Amino acid sequence: MLTGIIGAMAVETEAIKALIDAPVTERVGNIEFVRGKLCGRDVVVAQCGIGKVFAAICAQTMILKYAPDRIINTGVAGTLSETVGLLDIAVSSSVVEHDMDTSPLGDPVGMISGINIVNIPASEGLISDICAAAERLGKRWAVGVIASGDQFIADKAKKEYIRDTFSAIACEMEGAAIGHVCYVNGVDFAVIRCISDNADDHAGAMDYPTLCKRAAEQSQALLTELLRN
Ligand code: ADE
């Protein structure tokens, strides 16, 4: 069983790479893949870069080169929900691309033409294993829709639009692209995100710069707890 692990930024991946036993590094294009053992499991880890396109390039390349059985996206997110607070964990039940919109043609907002769905379901087995790992760590966690788009959300009106349109609990910029690629390739996936900000007017200047590192560490801690058991 090979687990692919993707994070967007160095703060979301470097500490994981540092824990890998017998790491073998290979570069494809601008992406560095580190293959080895993490907590006794076979893993391949990559930093994809920020946004949906980089995330999709990375996920597709990882699938073609390493054929992982499942891919987990780890990192930080803004909360969209009153009940998911700073440094809580959001686990994807499904992912949506909140900036996908062909509604002028009569489609539902967020529908991905070709596969014709809005919500891309995450692996139920992974979701329950992640929640069990969060329980063991004594973390506060919630399972729900995670919304991705090529925007850092730091605006109350945008936050409410995404929450109300997609019933989403958290927003970030890569998870749905990775889910999209996994879906079309028949690969299991899930997104683990620790909340770094409230996606409101304070997000960019206050919460995110203060909490991003701690949130990234907590997402990584949950990932390693998941792999350990
Ligand atoms: N990642 C962390 N916080 C975010 C936000 N508010 N919007 C988009 N991506 C994020």
Side-chain angles (χ1 to χ4, degrees), residues 48-67:
C48 63
I50 293 171
K52 301 203 315 296
V53 174
F54 277 135
I57 293 169
C58 182
Q60 186 66 57
T61 307
M62 181 181 274
I63 289 168
L64 291 175
K65 188 167 173 59
Y66 297 96

Side-chain angles (χ1 to χ4, degrees), residues 152-164:
F152 186 92
I153 305 301
D155 177 272
K156 192 165 172 284
K158 273 190 193 160
K159 170 180 175 170
E160 288 173 358
Y161 163 78
I162 296 168
R163 182 193 65 202
D164 296 345

Side-chain angles (χ1 to χ4, degrees), residues 192-220:
I192 300 173
R193 296 275 179 161
C194 185
I195 300 301
S196 57
D197 61 87
N198 286 310
D200 61 8
D201 306 349
H202 301 291
M206 295 270 293
D207 303 347
Y208 181 83
T210 313
L211 291 178
C212 179
K213 188 161 184 298
R214 268 172 71 196
E217 284 165 3
Q218 302 226 6
S219 185
Q220 289 161 13

Side-chain angles (χ1 to χ4, degrees), residues 9 12 76-79 98 147 149 151-154 171-174 193-194 196-200 203 208:
M9 302 181 289
E12 294 168 320
V76 301
T79 183
H98 68 71
Q151 299 165 0
F152 186 92
I153 305 301
C171 61
E172 37 83 309
M173 302 178 69
E174 297 83 21
R193 296 275 179 161
C194 185
S196 57
D197 61 87
N198 286 310
D200 61 8
Y208 181 83

